[in-house]
Amino acid sequence: MIRPLIATLLLALPLLAGDRVKFSDDAYSLEFPQGWKKAKSPTPDAEFARQSADETVIVSVNCSKIPAGAEADLDAMGKATAKNYAEVIQFKGEAKMSDGTLDGCKAKFITMAPQNEEEGQLGMFVILIDSREHLVRVIATMAPQLTNETREACLGVVKSFRREDTDEKKEE
């Protein structure tokens, strides 16, 4: 009984596996759940975008070089980003910001989620990641009817951020 169950689970694993997408000359990657597809980004300078299977989330990613000797001011960038995107989506509320790390990189997490799921009110989740060479922006635009499953999948995408520059990782 257990062997057929294990065999079935092993066969199903490739079907459940996500699509790891490398970007910025293969320096970084994110993993998207099965069923997420390529999409047109609402952010014009995005390197790529993916849309959830239920079409309630679009995640777009862009990357910009940090000049040599400069440091990314995530606090200032976070405040400016929150203000700009709040205007763009006409967000009615206060953006929440917190600090963290993703794969050893400093990160600023910005959440703009509607309080009462007001009709037509979009939400956003923006992550600014300082990789010391690039500023990576992961921007999730979310429809009001977002399910918990899709919300968790979106958070999983963010948590999957990886630096692929293994030589630099070894030097730290």
Side-chain angles (χ1 to χ4, degrees), residues 36 50-52 54-59 140-142 146 150 154:
W36 285 49
R50 294 288 188 272
Q51 185 173 37
S52 62
D54 64 5
E55 299 183 354
T56 59
V57 174
I58 293 179
V59 173
T141 307
M142 302 172 280
L146 191 66
T150 302
C154 187

Side-chain angles (χ1 to χ4, degrees), residues 117-156:
E117 294 195 23
E118 298 166 30
E119 187 174 323
Q121 176 70 55
L122 292 175
M124 292 190 84
F125 191 55
V126 180
I127 304 90
L128 303 174
I129 306 165
D130 177 1
S131 77
R132 293 172 292 289
E133 289 187 22
H134 295 94
L135 176 66
V136 179
R137 293 175 195 86
V138 180
I139 304 155
T141 307
M142 302 172 280
Q145 66 274 19
L146 191 66
T147 64
N148 282 336
E149 182 179 331
T150 302
R151 182 178 286 114
E152 291 300 316
C154 187
L155 290 173

Side-chain angles (χ1 to χ4, degrees), residues 66 70-75 77 106 129-132 134-135:
I66 297 174
E71 288 188 32
D73 183 349
L74 293 182
D75 289 329
M77 285 183 213
K106 291 180 186 177
I129 306 165
D130 177 1
S131 77
R132 293 172 292 289
H134 295 94
L135 176 66

Side-chain angles (χ1 to χ4, degrees), residues 24-107:
S24 194
D25 295 327
D26 294 341
Y28 314 101
S29 68
L30 289 169
E31 186 169 356
F32 293 86
Q34 185 178 24
W36 285 49
K37 54 191 176 250
K38 291 180 182 179
K40 182 179 178 187
S41 174
T43 309
D45 56 347
E47 289 192 35
F48 72 93
R50 294 288 188 272
Q51 185 173 37
S52 62
D54 64 5
E55 299 183 354
T56 59
V57 174
I58 293 179
V59 173
S60 59
V61 176
N62 64 21
C63 213
S64 53
K65 188 91 171 136
I66 297 174
E71 288 188 32
D73 183 349
L74 293 182
D75 289 329
M77 285 183 213
K79 289 174 186 171
T81 298
K83 182 181 179 205
N84 291 340
Y85 282 122
E87 289 173 8
V88 168
I89 66 170
Q90 299 177 353
F91 181 66
K92 302 168 189 153
E94 190 74 28
K96 295 178 183 156
M97 288 191 268
S98 61
D99 297 319
T101 59
L102 289 170
D103 199 25
C105 299
K106 291 180 186 177

